[in-house]
Amino acid sequence: MAVEGPDPKTFKSWDEAFQYPVATVRAMERQLRSDIESNRERLRTLVGASYRDLLGTAESIIEMDGQMQQVETYVGNMGKRCNARLLEKKGSNLHTWDGQVGAADIERFSFASQFAILRSCAEVLSKLLRYGGSVLLAAKVLVISRLLHKKLSQRSMPPPYVDSVWNRLTSLRRKILSKIDSKLQSVEVTEETLIEAMCAFALATSSSPADVLRHFHHVRLEAMIQQGQDSLENGHSMLQALRIYTRTLKDTRTHFPGHLAKALQNLKSTPLFRGQDLRSLIEFNLEVHQQWIGDDIKMFTPYIRSDDLQKLETNRILKEWAEQAFRAFLGKLQVKLKSIDDSKVIMQLRTQIFQLWLSNSQHSVGIEVSEILDGFRNVFNARLAELIKAQTRSLEKFSVVIRETLQSGKSNSSDFCPSLWSSSMTSMEISNGGKSFIRTLLDGSQGRNEALRARSIEYTAWLHRIEAIEEIITSMRKIRWEEEIDETQVDEDLLEDKQILLSEDDPRLLESELRDALEKSFSALEDSIRDVLSEIEAPSHGQQAVYLIRIWREIRQHLPKRLQHVDLGRNSIIQLQQIAADAAISASLQAFQRQIEKVQGSIKVLGRPLWEGNPELPVLPSSWIFKLLHKLSVSMMALGSDIWCPQATDVLKARLRTELASQLETLRKPARQVNGSVPLEPNTLEDDSKDTDAAPIQGDNQESNLKDSNKDDKIQRIFDLLYLMQATTGKGKSFERNSLALMQQSIVDEIGLSESSTKRMNKAAEEYWKRTSLLFALLA
């Protein structure tokens, strides 16, 4: 890489250049010569350009000199031709000629000029309306047209076309006044435009400031009512109406009486035709017509009283209008809110209205702010309370649909989802997070058929609407209201009161309304289901009872946050569980009714060889009991495994104990004797398809065997009862006083069984139940 040589420009003397090698010095020489040549070219170009500019300047100076000489020649000629005395003489002669010779033409010229300007007024007004000109200028033109029409109408024989022009001006006047009203109605115009519109109305209608104020209030009130009649569902029109209300309060305090009086004073201080706005209208052609229209019109100055409105009178008028306008606004707001069924839209409108009002409440002088706030709060709270009641009352339709479903038979569980271990479940797609699999799994585990699924969807939709209302009430508490008011007018207590009213009292009131409405709706639902329950007769309506149990489960598992009612539907659920238990027990006992009857005449214990211990005691229950419990578990599964909660299982076990005690009571009766002999019937519980005839046993040996057999049968019954007591008693519960325990104790007392033997059988029954309980699934 080549080393960069030294820069000659940095040398302080020529001696420094020769401290480097000759090659370097030669390179510096070439660089210096190149720079000198470049500077020479730039200097030549600069000098040439400056020379050309100098030549152009010289030519301009010469041209200006010629023009100045020409001007001096013209001015000198004009001075020679000007003669003051001659001009005065010509003017005097012209005036004399006009007075003597032209007097006859003055009236004719005056009429022509006045009519020309009158006709031009219509053109000017049409132009101002078409292109959105100044309403104050239009009002001035109206005043001029009124003066000209009056002057022309006073002639001895006014021409008819004057009236036709006036009719057109009358129509234009109505349009001008309508445009003035639109300016007064708008809250988007500037203060200058608003003052101009007020002056235009005062000038066009010859109104005093008090009349202008009343008309201003009237126009704004009509604008508010018109906004309230808008059909928009989001309530934006009511927000605009309130904006008009607050802006009117502000404009009245700002412009009355000071600004308007000052503007009117300026308006009547100068003749209209001396204003630059009228003089600039080319349609009037004032350069020609001004001298012929007459001094009374040319020098006309409008007279408007500007001091008839004082501050106290302004406040009185404002207060009256504010009360009237607020009542009208509340009426329209009530109507508007009744047309809105979305509570979120109402809440949004409430927030916007309170924010708008609180940010402008400093303009409400002479008006009670608390009354206005209470008015707003009452309207919104009343409508929200109506929506809450309407939403909660919609739960009544739920009970009607439940009744229709039960009557139509769609509550049957034949269309339940398949088993959890079926091939359709195990082969189901699990894409997209397995939503369909999870839904099918939940439906199968909770016994949801089409009818129940439809009710669940309906109830969930209703619950979402209630939750939306709860969210709205919660959001009301989170709002912090800030007012944009002057620091000198800040009242901390007032601000705190508004915060308490809007963010604490109102939510508390709506919470109370919601809670009461929910309690009434759920109470009505419970009464309705209780009425339906009265039409169900156990055990033939087991499926309907199961359907209602599942309905209650869906409801109780998804209660609104504001109503966590623990005892909701508890009595109805207990009755339904009893009906379902009776249905399951009835189906099982009917299948074993005949087998239980056969036990009555049986003297043979088939399980006798399996007894153990000393003395020998049974360690296994009778086979019919095992089959009965298995049949019962199958019946319970057929009704639906999801309904058998611990409470329902306890109800079923209690009902089963009662029914079994009633059925087994017959076993304690003595065997029926025929012709002095005891009929025997072999135990055929293992095979229910064959019946045998009892054979007579006679003789003393036979009687001894019969007694032993009867004792063994009763001991087996004791074990069976102990086993049934284990199966029909809930965990951790005592069975000392139940019907089976009383029956077991009576048999023990009857045969005189020792206490140790009883304890052995009780322990054996308990152990055997522990080993076999899981075989009976839902009973375990």
Side-chain angles (χ1 to χ4, degrees):
M1 181 176 178
V3 179
E4 187 178 356
D7 187 5
K9 297 179 182 179
T10 60
F11 295 162
K12 296 182 180 179
S13 64
W14 61 271
D15 294 336
E16 296 181 7
F18 295 100
Q19 296 178 2
Y20 297 93
V22 176
T24 303
V25 173
R26 293 291 185 183
M28 287 190 290
E29 178 186 5
R30 288 193 298 269
Q31 181 181 353
L32 290 174
R33 291 185 183 276
S34 177
D35 292 342
I36 292 171
E37 187 64 25
S38 177
N39 292 336
R40 183 183 296 111
E41 291 297 331
R42 284 202 301 270
L43 181 60
R44 185 181 297 109
T45 302
L46 181 61
V47 171
S50 300
Y51 183 70
R52 285 190 294 270
D53 293 339
L54 181 61
L55 292 178
T57 303
E59 291 178 356
S60 298
I61 293 172
I62 295 172
E63 185 179 354
M64 292 171 59
D65 180 62
Q67 292 176 354
M68 290 297 296
Q69 291 179 2
Q70 188 177 3
V71 170
E72 289 176 356
T73 302
Y74 290 155
V75 172
N77 293 334
M78 291 173 60
K80 292 178 181 179
R81 296 177 182 179
C82 288
N83 190 339
R85 277 189 247 171
L86 181 61
L87 293 176
E88 291 177 1
K89 185 177 180 180
K90 288 181 178 182
S92 177
N93 292 339
L94 179 61
H95 182 70
T96 302
W97 186 85
D98 289 339
Q100 295 178 358
V101 180
D105 297 331
I106 292 178
E107 184 177 357
R108 182 166 57 86
F109 292 160
S110 177
F111 172 78
S113 296
Q114 291 172 1
F115 181 74
I117 295 178
L118 179 63
R119 187 174 57 185
S120 299
C121 288
E123 298 178 0
V124 171
L125 292 176
S126 298
K127 184 178 178 180
L128 291 175
L129 287 173
R130 188 180 305 113
Y131 297 105
S134 171
V135 292
L136 182 57
L137 177 58
K140 291 180 179 180
V141 174
L142 284 176
V143 173
I144 296 299
S145 65
R146 186 168 62 239
L147 294 174
L148 292 172
H149 177 262
K150 181 179 179 181
K151 191 69 175 290
L152 294 173
S153 300
Q154 290 175 354
R155 296 175 64 86
S156 57
M157 296 181 63
Y161 45 79
V162 173
D163 291 336
S164 64
V165 175
W166 179 247
N167 291 335
R168 184 186 177 192
L169 287 170
T170 302
S171 176
L172 292 172
R173 179 178 182 273
R174 289 193 295 269
K175 295 180 180 180
I176 291 297
L177 292 178
S178 177
K179 186 174 182 180
I180 292 174
D181 289 347
S182 66
K183 295 286 186 182
L184 295 176
Q185 287 180 352
S186 177
V187 295
E188 306 297 334
V189 297
T190 61
E191 294 183 358
E192 293 77 8
T193 304
L194 185 61
I195 291 294
E196 182 182 279
M198 292 178 182
C199 293
F201 177 80
L203 189 60
T205 59
S206 301
S207 300
S208 64
D211 297 332
V212 174
L213 177 59
R214 292 188 181 92
H215 180 73
F216 174 63
H217 286 168
H218 173 71
V219 169
R220 287 290 176 91
L221 181 57
E222 287 185 344
M224 290 177 59
I225 296 175
Q226 183 179 2
Q227 288 291 337
Q229 296 174 350
D230 197 343
S231 60
L232 294 177
E233 296 184 357
N234 57 4
H236 178 74
S237 58
M238 298 309 304
L239 195 63
Q240 183 66 17
L242 181 60
R243 189 174 289 109
I244 294 174
Y245 180 78
T246 57
R247 182 62 183 270
T248 303
L249 297 178
K250 178 181 178 181
D251 291 340
T252 302
R253 291 190 59 208
T254 303
H255 304 311
F256 292 93
H259 292 176
L260 179 61
K262 184 178 180 181
L264 294 177
Q265 186 68 30
N266 294 333
L267 186 62
K268 67 181 183 180
S269 63
T270 306
L272 295 180
F273 272 109
R274 288 192 178 180
Q276 185 61 33
D277 49 357
L278 282 178
R279 298 183 66 85
S280 62
L281 295 175
I282 59 176
E283 291 83 358
F284 283 176
N285 198 10
L286 293 180
E287 295 179 355
V288 177
H289 301 300
Q290 185 174 5
Q291 57 181 334
W292 305 108
I293 60 177
D295 292 339
D296 55 343
I297 297 177
K298 183 169 55 177
M299 300 303 295
F300 175 78
T301 301
Y303 175 74
I304 304 174
R305 291 189 59 184
S306 58
D307 56 351
D308 69 330
L309 187 63
Q310 302 299 324
K311 191 68 175 178
L312 293 178
E313 181 69 10
T314 301
N315 292 336
R316 184 186 65 80
I317 296 175
L318 176 61
K319 184 177 180 180
E320 293 177 356
W321 177 87
E323 294 175 353
Q324 178 187 2
F326 184 68
R327 288 194 299 268
F329 177 79
L330 284 184
K332 294 297 181 181
L333 182 60
Q334 288 177 341
V335 175
K336 177 62 66 175
L337 291 179
K338 288 182 179 180
S339 65
I340 302 176
D341 296 330
D342 191 346
S343 54
K344 292 183 179 180
V345 175
I346 294 179
M347 183 59 192
Q348 183 180 6
L349 179 61
R350 174 185 182 271
T351 303
Q352 293 175 345
I353 282 183
F354 277 116
Q355 285 178 345
L356 178 59
W357 170 248
L358 293 177
S359 62
N360 294 275
S361 60
Q362 68 270 21
H363 304 300
S364 58
V365 177
I367 307 172
E368 291 294 336
V369 179
S370 59
E371 294 181 3
I372 295 180
L373 285 177
D374 291 341
F376 287 148
R377 292 175 58 235
N378 293 335
V379 170
F380 280 104
N381 291 342
R383 179 53 182 162
L384 288 173
E386 291 178 0
L387 286 179
I388 289 173
K389 293 178 181 179
Q391 293 291 352
T392 53
R393 280 198 302 266
S394 62
L395 191 62
E396 298 176 1
K397 301 178 182 178
F398 192 67
S399 60
V400 175
V401 176
I402 292 175
R403 181 185 294 271
E404 294 176 353
T405 303
L406 291 175
Q407 292 176 352
S408 63
K410 294 181 179 180
S411 62
N412 199 315
S413 61
S414 59
D415 57 345
F416 280 170
C417 295
S419 171
L420 300 180
W421 307 108
S422 64
S423 58
S424 60
M425 286 287 294
T426 56
S427 62
M428 185 173 293
E429 292 290 337
I430 57 173
S431 58
N432 296 326
K435 294 181 179 179
S436 60
F437 175 78
I438 295 174
R439 183 171 59 252
T440 306
L441 183 64
L442 291 177
D443 291 345
S445 61
Q446 297 184 2
R448 290 178 181 170
N449 58 357
E450 290 297 331
L452 185 62
R453 191 179 299 111
R455 302 296 82 75
S456 177
I457 293 174
E458 293 173 1
Y459 179 76
T460 302
W462 175 85
L463 186 62
H464 286 337
R465 294 193 293 269
I466 299 300
E467 289 176 349
I469 295 177
E470 293 178 342
E471 291 177 0
I472 288 175
I473 296 175
T474 303
S475 65
M476 292 174 64
R477 296 183 180 276
K478 297 179 180 179
I479 299 177
R480 294 294 176 262
W481 304 97
E482 297 180 358
E483 296 183 356
E484 299 176 0
I485 58 178
D486 298 336
E487 294 182 359
T488 57
Q489 298 178 351
V490 172
D491 188 349
E492 295 183 358
D493 295 336
L494 181 61
L495 294 177
E496 184 176 356
D497 292 342
K498 292 177 182 178
Q499 182 68 30
I500 293 175
L501 288 174
L502 300 178
S503 297
E504 295 183 14
D505 291 351
D506 289 352
R508 188 182 304 113
L509 175 63
L510 295 178
E511 280 182 352
S512 177
E513 290 286 345
L514 178 59
R515 189 181 302 107
D516 294 342
L518 288 174
E519 289 179 354
K520 292 180 180 179
S521 297
F522 278 105
S523 177
L525 177 63
E526 187 172 3
D527 294 340
S528 178
I529 294 180
R530 189 180 296 113
D531 295 339
V532 175
L533 182 60
S534 64
E535 302 174 2
I536 299 177
E537 297 179 359
S540 60
H541 292 80
Q543 291 292 348
Q544 289 86 338
V546 170
Y547 175 74
L548 291 178
I549 290 174
R550 288 167 175 157
I551 289 291
W552 272 121
R553 182 181 61 201
E554 292 289 336
I555 294 175
R556 288 170 58 87
Q557 286 180 351
H558 304 90
L559 287 176
K561 296 179 181 178
R562 309 287 177 183
L563 185 69
Q564 296 298 326
H565 202 327
V566 179
D567 296 330
L568 179 64
R570 181 178 294 276
N571 295 330
S572 299
I573 293 174
I574 293 176
Q575 295 180 24
L576 292 169
Q577 289 172 346
Q578 291 175 353
I579 295 174
D582 290 343
I585 294 172
S586 175
S588 302
L589 290 182
Q590 285 179 359
F592 287 88
Q593 180 70 30
R594 190 175 179 182
Q595 294 182 359
I596 295 176
E597 291 176 355
K598 291 178 180 179
V599 175
Q600 179 180 0
S602 176
I603 61 173
K604 183 179 180 179
V605 180
L606 296 181
R608 181 65 179 82
L610 300 178
W611 288 15
E612 298 177 356
N614 187 17
E616 292 184 347
L617 295 174
V619 293
L620 296 175
S622 299
S623 60
W624 70 269
I625 294 179
F626 196 88
K627 291 181 178 180
L628 174 64
L629 295 180
H630 177 70
K631 178 63 177 177
L632 180 60
S633 64
V634 172
S635 299
M636 294 170 65
M637 185 68 71
L639 290 175
S641 61
D642 57 293
I643 69 169
W644 301 108
C645 61
Q647 177 182 344
T649 305
D650 291 342
V651 171
L652 180 136
K653 290 181 178 180
R655 306 286 286 187
L656 180 61
R657 287 196 301 269
T658 303
E659 292 295 330
L660 284 176
S662 176
Q663 294 289 336
L664 295 177
E665 184 66 26
T666 59
L667 300 179
R668 298 188 58 194
K669 297 179 180 179
R672 182 171 53 91
Q673 295 183 2
V674 179
N675 296 326
S677 62
V678 179
L680 295 179
E681 189 173 317
N683 192 346
T684 58
L685 297 178
E686 302 297 333
D687 185 2
D688 191 38
S689 62
K690 297 181 180 179
D691 295 333
T692 59
D693 296 330
I697 302 177
Q698 300 177 355
D700 296 338
N701 188 28
Q702 293 176 343
E703 291 179 0
S704 177
N705 294 334
L706 178 61
K707 291 181 181 180
D708 294 339
S709 178
N710 286 336
K711 183 176 181 181
D712 293 343
D713 179 61
K714 292 179 180 180
I715 293 174
Q716 182 64 46
R717 292 181 192 178
I718 293 174
F719 188 86
D720 292 343
L721 290 174
L722 290 173
Y723 185 76
L724 286 176
M725 288 162 56
Q726 293 290 336
T728 59
T729 304
K731 295 180 180 180
K733 295 185 179 180
S734 173
F735 45 79
E736 293 179 357
R737 295 184 179 180
N738 61 50
S739 55
L740 293 180
L742 295 176
M743 181 181 295
Q744 176 260 339
Q745 186 61 42
S746 66
I747 298 175
V748 170
D749 296 339
E750 180 181 350
I751 65 175
L753 188 66
S754 64
E755 182 178 357
S756 60
S757 298
T758 304
K759 289 182 178 181
R760 272 181 56 197
M761 285 195 294
N762 188 18
K763 185 175 181 180
E766 182 179 357
E767 292 295 331
Y768 193 75
W769 171 250
K770 288 181 181 180
R771 294 195 302 270
T772 61
S773 61
L774 293 181
L775 296 177
F776 308 118
L778 299 176
L779 276 175

